[in-house]
Amino acid sequence: MAGDRREQEPETTAITAGRDASGALSPALWASSTWHTNDLDGTHRGAKAVHESGFYSRYANPTVEAFERTIAELEGAESALAFGSGMGAIASTVFALCSSGDHIVAQRNMYAGTLGFLDGACKRMGIEVTYVDGRNAAEFAAAVRPGKTMLVMAETPTNPHLDVVDLDALGAIKGPFTFVDSTLATPLGQQPLRHGVNIVMHSATKGIAGHNDATLGVIAAEKELVNTIWAYSVLHGATASPFDALNGLRGVRTLGARLRQQSETAQQVAEWLSAHPAVKRVNYPGLTSHPQHELAKRQMRWFGSVFSIELCGGIAEARALTQRLSLVRCAVTLGGPDTLISHSATSTHLSVSPEVKAATGISESLLRVSVGLEAAPDIIADFAQALK
Ligand SMILES: *Cc1c(COP(=O)(O)O)cnc(C)c1O
């Protein structure tokens, strides 16, 4: 009896989602940019269709659609839309929903690219942004201006501080669309739409694709909202490459096993570093020392592959540590198989002003670590010799 069936675990859905009637377990790579028809009625039908393959690849592509169906199913959404990058997803969504004179409420500690976009392009287009501290969820609702605020934007956990935003509180906001960048959690770590949030977004470049071989973004939401964003996105043009969508879908199939392992290893390495005298603090939602550990436990199934550390000292100590590490490499992505370390102040947040850096806690001794799939004792041994 269907009614008696228990709900399938997300790890299982990651394996079964997005299959089509062809029987192929991996989708075909449709490189074609266009489809031909017998007469102008055929191309007319294609031009009128909304988010449907068979016309022109900027409008829709079967390989990209297979990836979109998979993400929609994982997020519990009616529909999903892929983009050429996470920033493509953010820029297209904001410009699809906001016009000159509109207002956005955004979390102050968001991804540096998102902040750069809100402070640069949005300001230039006359879209006003009010920043709030996402750790106090009441600030989002308090900053909403009825009739003027179109979008409330949050990121949880945040990159690079691992702050956690209360998804129930965000989902309860009515009026503007609520948007969550869920990149660090991945669709298996948390599902913001189930908390009432309107739009969930991922840089699938990170944990979803998971092998440092795709640049890809995606949003998931109700079909009508996705179609509205799609109508603008075909003009914005941040279209997902079919090859990257294929790698994104391949990544989803192993995401459960990777996320479980990476979360376990991240927990071990974070705990080890917490006890080291050269480390001032470790930010990881899985640590009981994290101020929002209880909230993270309530809304996250896994705490993820990323943590950040604040070293005792400054840039000299950060430089010395990165120079001495040998297994752990310096690079600015996350969620892949290799353990990577990055110095936010001189890389991802280079263009952020000193005032904003100070206000958002991007200090000279802050390092972000993305834990990979190496054995935990090897990662810990590398940190041990480098911190000596
Ligand atoms: C990387 C990242 C982005 C941007 O994604 P790209 O695929 O690099 O464009 C957005 N948000 C978060 C949290 C990220 O880590």
Side-chain angles (χ1 to χ4, degrees):
M1 263 200 303
D4 289 342
R5 287 236 316 259
R6 51 181 281 279
E7 203 180 334
Q8 179 171 292
E9 298 291 331
E11 285 80 358
T12 308
T13 304
I15 305 300
T16 57
R19 286 182 190 159
D20 63 25
S22 72
L25 281 181
S26 172
L29 175 59
W30 288 82
S32 188
S33 60
T34 196
W35 283 260
H36 66 96
T37 62
N38 286 334
D39 57 17
L40 52 81
D41 291 337
T43 42
H44 178 62
R45 267 195 303 278
K48 276 200 308 190
V50 175
H51 197 189
E52 254 176 50
S53 295
F55 177 57
Y56 188 62
S57 221
R58 177 155 46 77
Y59 287 62
N61 171 285
T63 310
V64 175
E65 280 187 328
F67 172 70
E68 291 169 340
R69 277 200 308 278
T70 304
I71 297 297
E73 208 172 319
L74 277 176
E75 291 287 2
E78 283 176 3
S79 185
L81 180 60
F83 298 86
S85 67
M87 282 314 302
I90 290 168
S92 305
T93 301
V94 170
F95 281 160
L97 300 178
C98 300
S99 307
S100 165
D102 287 342
H103 176 243
I104 294 174
V105 176
Q107 193 176 342
R108 194 173 284 114
N109 275 3
M110 289 185 91
Y111 176 70
T114 310
L115 290 182
F117 174 73
L118 293 173
D119 284 338
C122 285
K123 203 181 258 177
R124 202 154 43 78
M125 300 300 169
I127 301 167
E128 201 191 334
V129 183
T130 301
Y131 292 103
V132 298
D133 184 343
R135 290 168 297 185
N136 177 8
E139 288 194 17
F140 286 104
V144 168
R145 300 181 198 159
K148 235 178 133 47
T149 307
M150 285 302 293
L151 203 52
V152 175
M153 299 179 74
E155 179 177 312
T156 185
T158 59
N159 178 0
H161 284 100
L162 288 300
D163 292 342
V164 178
V165 176
D166 187 329
L167 291 172
D168 283 332
L170 205 66
I173 295 173
K174 298 291 171 248
F177 294 113
T178 47
F179 171 104
V180 168
D181 182 338
S182 193
T183 298
L184 264 62
T186 85
L188 295 190
Q190 70 192 11
Q191 290 161 338
L193 303 188
R194 298 193 196 278
H195 298 261
V197 167
N198 299 121
I199 306 167
V200 59
M201 169 265 158
H202 295 276
S203 166
T205 311
K206 313 290 169 55
I208 290 179
H211 293 75
N212 304 321
D213 57 6
T215 305
L216 188 65
V218 66
I219 59 160
E222 281 182 359
K223 194 178 179 68
E224 195 184 335
L225 183 50
V226 170
N227 287 348
T228 300
I229 297 167
W230 171 86
Y232 171 73
S233 79
V234 298
L235 307 175
H236 195 99
T239 312
S241 133
F243 182 65
D244 287 343
L246 185 75
N247 279 345
L249 181 44
R250 188 196 51 182
V252 169
R253 300 302 188 218
T254 58
L255 181 57
R258 288 187 287 112
L259 185 64
R260 178 184 302 111
Q261 185 58 58
Q262 281 166 296
S263 298
E264 278 176 22
T265 308
Q267 182 80 29
Q268 285 177 46
V269 180
E271 280 173 8
W272 186 88
L273 285 167
S274 298
H276 198 284
V279 178
K280 197 153 64 182
R281 64 174 286 111
V282 181
N283 307 308
Y284 186 62
L287 294 177
T288 50
S289 62
H290 190 287
Q292 298 161 297
H293 176 64
E294 289 305 318
L295 171 62
K297 257 198 333 204
R298 278 204 303 280
Q299 65 186 33
M300 299 183 77
R301 302 176 67 252
W302 299 100
F303 298 118
S305 60
V306 180
F307 62 80
S308 57
I309 58 176
E310 192 86 52
L311 292 176
C312 300
I315 182 104
E317 284 71 18
R319 180 167 284 121
L321 171 63
T322 54
Q323 279 169 350
R324 289 193 204 123
L325 286 166
S326 94
L327 178 66
V328 179
R329 308 301 301 160
C330 279
V332 293
T333 194
L334 57 94
D338 316 74
T339 299
L340 302 174
I341 191 163
S342 66
H343 185 244
S344 308
T346 56
S347 59
T348 48
H349 291 64
L350 187 60
S351 59
V352 174
S353 70
E355 297 78 45
V356 174
K357 270 191 191 135
T360 55
I362 304 293
S363 75
E364 302 265 88
S365 60
L366 180 76
L367 291 158
R368 185 189 73 194
V369 178
S370 170
V371 172
L373 287 165
E374 307 92 339
D378 291 327
I379 302 169
I380 291 171
D382 199 28
F383 274 106
Q385 63 78 22
L387 284 168
K388 236 188 222 142

